């Protein structure tokens, strides 16, 4: 219950000066990946194979043609995979990529948030739609490795085509939500409760009473579906919020109180264990 989360800081932000990054990955993930988050969007396009992904406790099965959109600060990881290699293309991009393309006629940034389910965004494509997205992402990969004249303009054009194709597919095909079990419903309720009580004292016993269950069943279900115990997850969310407050100019002491850490020394210790630097050092390099 008192574990200090360690974030994969290499993946927290995109390299300086880059609005997006693209890679093709055909490696299997037999042991899964560590629970982590980004301060930017990540779009995964599955080409071959099958892979289970968890986003904020909800499991999505990625099959050929699946497009999974992960929003900033959503905790996610891959689950152990025994189906061999999974070929996928991952596009990581800043919010500015969406904002610069949003117009009154095409509010792309709003669409990404208002038409998606509460936790993640899964779209299954086939036929022509699959080929369109595959062609655009393959062309983007080629441009990344090119030094020809007009490379940047071509990249921007392809990104616009990509989001337009995804938007059209979204409007034409309802985004399926995976079947929800009783445990998954419980975990989603707990996650939503955490979102609204980050500054409050939350105990496992109080959570169990809140959701009419026992602490052991709740902890087992949460750990199995999310990848960590409830209070480890809550600590991660609190530290996420702290980084956002620090970036906005809030003092470390005030950020600690707003994120449920009345003892600043405890906040300092957990923050440094998670990010490798003190809150003030983190703030000095992110503002």
């Amino acid at each position: 219950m008192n574990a200090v989360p360690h974030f994969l800081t290499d993946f927290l932000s995109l390299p300086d000066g880059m609005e997006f990054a693209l890679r093709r990955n055909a490696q299997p993930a037999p042991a899964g990946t560590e629970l982590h988050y980004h301060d930017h969007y990540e779009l995964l396009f599955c080409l071959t194979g099958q892979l289970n992904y968890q986003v904020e406790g909800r499991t999505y099965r990625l099959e050929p043609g699946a497009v999974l959109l992960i929003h900033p600060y959503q905790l996610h990881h891959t689950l152990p995979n025994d189906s061999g290699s999974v070929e996928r293309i991952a596009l990581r991009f800043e919010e500015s990529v969406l904002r610069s393309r949003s117009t009154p006629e095409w509010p792309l940034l709003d669409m990404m948030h208002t038409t998606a389910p509460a936790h993640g965004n899964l779209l299954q494509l086939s036929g022509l739609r699959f080929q369109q997205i595959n062609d655009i992402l393959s062309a983007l990969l080629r441009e990344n490795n090119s030094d020809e004249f007009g490379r940047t303009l071509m990249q921007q054009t392809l990104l616009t085509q990509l989001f337009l194709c995804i938007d059209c597919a979204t409007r034409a095909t309802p985004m399926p939500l995976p079947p929800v079990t009783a445990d998954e419903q419980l975990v989603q309720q707990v996650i939503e409760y955490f979102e609204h009580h980050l500054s409050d004292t939350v105990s496992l016993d109080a959570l169990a009473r809140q959701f009419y269950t026992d602490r052991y069943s709740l902890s087992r279900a949460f750990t199995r579906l999310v990848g960590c115990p409830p209070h480890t997850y809550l600590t991660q969310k609190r530290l996420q919020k702290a980084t956002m407050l620090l970036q906005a100019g809030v003092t470390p002491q005030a950020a600690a109180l707003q994120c449920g850490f009345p003892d600043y020394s405890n906040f300092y210790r957990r923050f440094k264990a998670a990010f490798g630097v003190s809150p003030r050092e983190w703030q000095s390099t992110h503002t």
Side-chain angles (χ1 to χ4, degrees):
M1 298 294 291
N2 296 317
V4 178
H6 172 70
F7 294 123
L8 301 179
T9 52
D10 289 346
F11 301 102
L12 176 59
S13 300
L14 288 169
D16 290 341
M18 292 183 62
E19 279 193 314
F20 74 93
L22 189 69
R23 73 178 185 275
R24 183 189 295 266
N25 191 339
Q27 299 296 320
T33 58
E34 185 177 346
L35 195 68
H36 63 285
Y37 74 93
H38 314 289
D39 61 2
H40 51 267
Y41 293 86
E42 183 172 22
L43 186 148
L44 296 171
F45 180 56
C46 185
L47 296 169
T48 63
Q50 296 178 334
L51 182 65
N52 287 332
Y53 235 88
Q54 279 192 345
V55 182
E56 295 286 359
R58 182 168 289 165
T59 300
Y60 297 94
R61 187 166 184 81
L62 273 62
E63 299 178 337
V67 177
L68 180 67
L69 177 67
I70 301 170
H71 289 243
Y73 299 101
Q74 288 189 320
L75 290 168
H76 59 279
H77 65 141
T78 59
L79 296 176
N81 173 48
D82 58 3
S83 61
S85 294
V86 180
E87 187 176 8
R88 56 204 182 275
I89 297 176
L91 172 67
R92 297 160 56 198
F93 57 94
E94 298 283 4
E95 184 179 291
S96 58
V97 172
L98 300 176
R99 189 185 306 114
S100 64
R101 287 165 173 77
S102 293
T103 67
E105 296 77 18
W106 189 38
L108 178 59
L109 184 57
D110 291 341
M111 180 273 293
M112 286 291 185
H113 289 272
T114 59
T115 65
H119 299 281
N121 179 341
L122 181 67
L123 182 65
Q124 185 66 45
L125 304 177
S126 61
L128 180 59
R129 297 287 189 191
F130 174 91
Q131 194 60 52
Q132 284 178 325
I133 301 298
N134 186 25
D135 289 347
I136 293 171
L137 289 173
S138 296
L140 262 174
L141 283 166
R142 288 194 299 272
E143 292 299 328
N144 273 0
N145 298 319
S146 168
D147 58 0
E148 294 183 2
F149 174 77
R151 169 176 175 260
T152 300
L153 182 59
M154 182 62 74
Q155 288 175 326
Q156 296 301 321
T157 300
L158 288 167
L159 283 172
T160 301
Q161 290 179 357
L162 174 67
F163 293 122
L164 181 59
C165 284
I166 290 175
D167 189 15
C168 290
T170 299
R171 295 170 188 271
T173 308
M175 286 181 280
L177 285 172
V180 178
T181 65
D183 280 351
E184 288 173 332
Q185 186 175 23
L186 170 64
V187 168
Q188 290 304 315
Q189 290 173 335
V190 171
I191 286 174
E192 290 172 9
Y193 182 86
F194 283 159
E195 291 289 347
H196 294 93
H197 295 84
L198 290 179
S199 61
D200 299 340
T201 300
V202 180
S203 70
L204 189 55
D205 287 329
L207 279 176
R209 290 193 298 271
Q210 174 75 22
F211 297 105
Y212 305 101
T213 185
D214 64 89
R215 57 179 293 159
Y216 303 105
S217 298
L218 191 155
S219 183
R220 281 196 302 269
F222 197 99
T223 302
R224 176 173 59 84
L225 291 171
V226 178
C228 65
H231 273 69
T232 300
Y233 175 91
L234 179 58
T235 299
Q236 290 175 315
K237 280 295 183 180
R238 285 171 166 166
L239 292 174
Q240 280 183 8
K241 182 179 178 182
T243 62
M244 298 170 70
L245 292 172
L246 292 171
Q247 194 167 10
V250 176
T251 66
Q253 290 78 8
L257 288 175
Q258 292 183 44
C259 297
F261 294 99
D263 180 0
Y264 182 76
S265 62
N266 180 37
F267 170 68
Y268 180 98
R269 184 174 63 256
R270 289 178 178 271
F271 192 98
K272 191 165 186 178
F275 298 104
V277 296
S278 71
R280 194 166 299 280
E281 289 171 333
W282 193 97
Q283 187 174 48
S284 68
T285 59
H286 289 82
T287 56

